[in-house]
Amino acid sequence: LGGMVCERAWSFLGWAAMLTAPTRGQLFVPPTNLTVAELGYASALGAVRQELDTIGAFGVNGDLWDGIAYAPSVGLLFGAPHSAHAVLVVNPRTHAVDSTSLGGLSTVSQKWTGLAYAPSVDMLYAAPHSASAVLMINPQTNVTDTTTLGGLGQQATKWFGVAYAPSVDLLFAAPFDATSVLMINPRTNVSDTTTIDVLPSTSAKWAGIAYVPGVDKLYAAPYNSASVLIIHPSINATDTATLGGLGTGAGKWNGIAYAPSVGLLFAAPLAQTSVLIINPITNVADTTTITGLPVSPSDKWSGIAYLPVYDMLVAAPSTADAVLIINPRTNTTDTSHTAGSLSCQWRGIAAVPSISTVFAAPCHGQAVLAVRFGAEASVVEPFRQINNLSNVLAATQAALSATASALSASEEARSSTQAAMLSTQLSTQQSTQNAFASIATALSATVASQNSTAAALSASVAAQSSTE
């Protein structure tokens, strides 16, 4: 035990010697190596940073992909072909990009908009914008299917965005020009456009949809509509009255995401100068808390994703020249990270939490956009070293406590042994005394018996003498 205490003490001195100045020139600590405590410390000091990167090279082509989703079963991202002829496949760790393997798709424009992953069947589904069928993607086999969920009509711009509702194991696509919600059963491969078919015939109603588990509802962002579309998946009902009064302007918001840390939804401003915030518990829509965003261009951000590791939301820049980063706890925004200056650069964005990075699908953009989150090394490294010192001190204290407990137990054992020996000695003495007393009693009884016998003999002799 004494050796253990010495070892801990030497460890403590070793850690103390390592408390050096932070590494200079190192901006990020890799996100996967950050502990919760380190991340919290960096966030509290405002030391969380972002780094932009572009992946691949596609040239300036129109409306390539619109919508992107992550398939955790294979660790890959997939982009929905809008006018591209193939599904976009991105490896988020190696930055390998494949825009040909899942090809052979229709050459018409505006085919699919929005993509969602259904974990129950390990498949991805793209909402038909102008295509007549849902695009199904099997990430395990790299096979696409545009016939199983077909027959959805040749009308243009039908649905915009799709989301999975785990409570009913169905997918729901938001109506853009369509008058019905598109429902997809991934287990039976059946589509349904008649069950929820009571919506207005106006054009460009909603763009983007998200599921909120706490209330078991889906919410679609108002594009031209003056209200949020609420869908109750368990009863196949819609509500366009509760969250209304949002104005008649065109192209207001595009894309919506749920931030579980605050229990709120955030919609990305396309033409609007404010973020739309929705409280699904109180049914309140808020367009005044996060304001002051640029008036132009008219199609600023398209698509939004929540990154749980850093508790941030990121909106993809469509024609805005910078990424929009939203802190849901402080209701603050950051547009300092310039991404580009083209029109309709990226549309649709998805998070890969394990590497703290979000990826945006290129529309007219020349590459996939990656926004990586990290923490400033000059802040995290000293905290990490101090935390290691604390761990060594705690271990040393634990070793000292164990030593003290062992010594105490040893003293108790020694005292117990002494008490047992004394008790045994006293018991032996008592037994000896009792034995001597028994012998004395027996001797007394013998003497008494002998005396009685002598008396009897004396009496007999006396009787004989009297007779003679």
Side-chain angles (χ1 to χ4, degrees):
L1 290 172
M4 183 186 299
V5 174
C6 290
E7 182 181 348
R8 297 292 185 184
W10 281 113
S11 297
F12 170 78
L13 293 174
W15 280 113
M18 291 177 62
L19 192 57
T20 57
T23 303
R24 298 182 64 85
Q26 183 182 356
L27 177 61
F28 287 103
V29 171
T32 51
N33 291 342
L34 284 177
T35 66
V36 174
E38 289 167 353
L39 177 57
Y41 180 75
S43 299
L45 293 183
V48 171
R49 298 287 181 264
Q50 296 82 36
E51 186 177 65
L52 271 60
D53 193 9
T54 51
I55 306 169
F58 308 107
V60 182
N61 298 303
D63 294 342
L64 292 175
W65 295 277
D66 193 335
I68 187 169
Y70 180 60
S73 62
V74 292
L76 298 174
L77 293 136
F78 295 81
H82 198 56
S83 296
H85 305 162
V87 173
L88 175 66
V89 183
V90 181
N91 188 318
R93 289 170 176 78
T94 65
H95 286 190
V97 175
D98 180 355
S99 59
T100 60
S101 294
L102 296 180
L105 300 174
S106 169
T107 58
V108 302
S109 62
Q110 299 186 355
K111 294 185 285 292
W112 295 280
T113 299
L115 187 67
Y117 175 72
S120 62
V121 292
D122 189 22
M123 295 279 289
L124 298 110
Y125 298 80
H129 197 57
S130 295
S132 61
V134 174
L135 170 63
M136 301 168 58
I137 305 170
N138 188 324
Q140 298 287 347
T141 61
N142 282 332
V143 172
T144 59
D145 180 349
T146 58
T147 59
T148 300
L149 294 171
L152 297 174
Q154 300 297 326
Q155 298 88 347
T157 61
K158 294 184 283 294
W159 293 279
F160 197 125
V162 60
Y164 176 69
S167 61
V168 292
D169 193 19
L170 298 173
L171 296 110
F172 296 79
F176 197 64
D177 285 357
T179 60
S180 64
V181 174
L182 171 62
M183 299 168 58
I184 303 167
N185 188 322
R187 291 194 178 276
T188 61
N189 285 328
V190 172
S191 61
D192 179 353
T193 60
T194 59
T195 299
I196 305 178
D197 186 20
V198 291
L199 299 171
S201 59
T202 53
S203 63
K205 293 182 283 293
W206 297 282
I209 185 170
Y211 175 74
V212 179
V215 295
D216 188 27
K217 296 176 186 175
L218 298 107
Y219 296 77
Y223 192 85
N224 286 356
S225 176
S227 65
V228 174
L229 172 64
I230 305 174
I231 302 172
H232 301 256
S234 58
I235 58 175
N236 291 328
T238 61
D239 178 357
T240 58
T242 299
L243 294 171
L246 297 174
T248 57
K252 292 187 285 292
W253 294 279
N254 185 349
I256 186 169
Y258 177 63
S261 62
V262 292
L264 300 173
L265 294 121
F266 295 79
L270 192 65
Q272 288 290 305
T273 60
S274 64
V275 175
L276 172 62
I277 306 173
I278 301 168
N279 189 321
I281 302 296
T282 62
N283 285 325
V284 172
D286 176 2
T287 59
T288 61
T289 297
I290 301 180
T291 59
L293 297 170
V295 174
S296 61
S298 60
D299 56 340
K300 292 181 281 293
W301 293 281
S302 179
I304 185 170
Y306 175 71
L307 187 62
V309 179
Y310 284 84
D311 190 20
M312 296 282 187
L313 296 113
V314 184
S318 180
T319 306
D321 60 3
V323 173
L324 174 62
I325 300 173
I326 303 170
N327 186 325
R329 292 191 179 275
T330 61
N331 287 326
T332 54
T333 60
D334 179 359
T335 57
S336 63
H337 301 283
T338 302
S341 57
L342 297 175
S343 174
C344 186
Q345 300 172 102
W346 294 279
R347 298 184 69 176
I349 190 167
V352 181
S354 60
I355 58 172
S356 301
T357 307
V358 295
F359 296 82
C363 183
H364 286 186
Q366 300 179 38
V368 176
L369 176 65
V371 184
R372 175 188 176 217
F373 281 69
E376 210 171 301
S378 61
V379 170
V380 173
E381 286 180 1
F383 176 83
R384 180 174 287 178
Q385 292 169 359
I386 291 170
N387 191 56
N388 287 334
L389 284 173
S390 298
N391 292 337
V392 171
L393 287 172
T396 303
Q397 181 62 43
L400 290 172
S401 297
T403 301
S405 297
L407 290 173
S408 177
S410 177
E411 181 62 27
E412 289 178 1
R414 188 175 66 84
S415 298
S416 177
T417 301
Q418 289 178 341
M421 291 174 62
L422 181 59
S423 176
T424 301
Q425 185 177 3
L426 292 174
S427 177
T428 302
Q429 291 176 349
Q430 186 64 46
S431 297
T432 302
Q433 290 176 355
N434 291 339
F436 281 135
S438 297
I439 293 171
T441 302
L443 289 173
S444 296
T446 301
V447 170
S449 175
Q450 290 175 349
N451 289 339
S452 177
T453 302
L457 289 173
S458 298
S460 175
V461 170
Q464 290 179 358
S465 298
S466 177
T467 302
E468 292 176 357

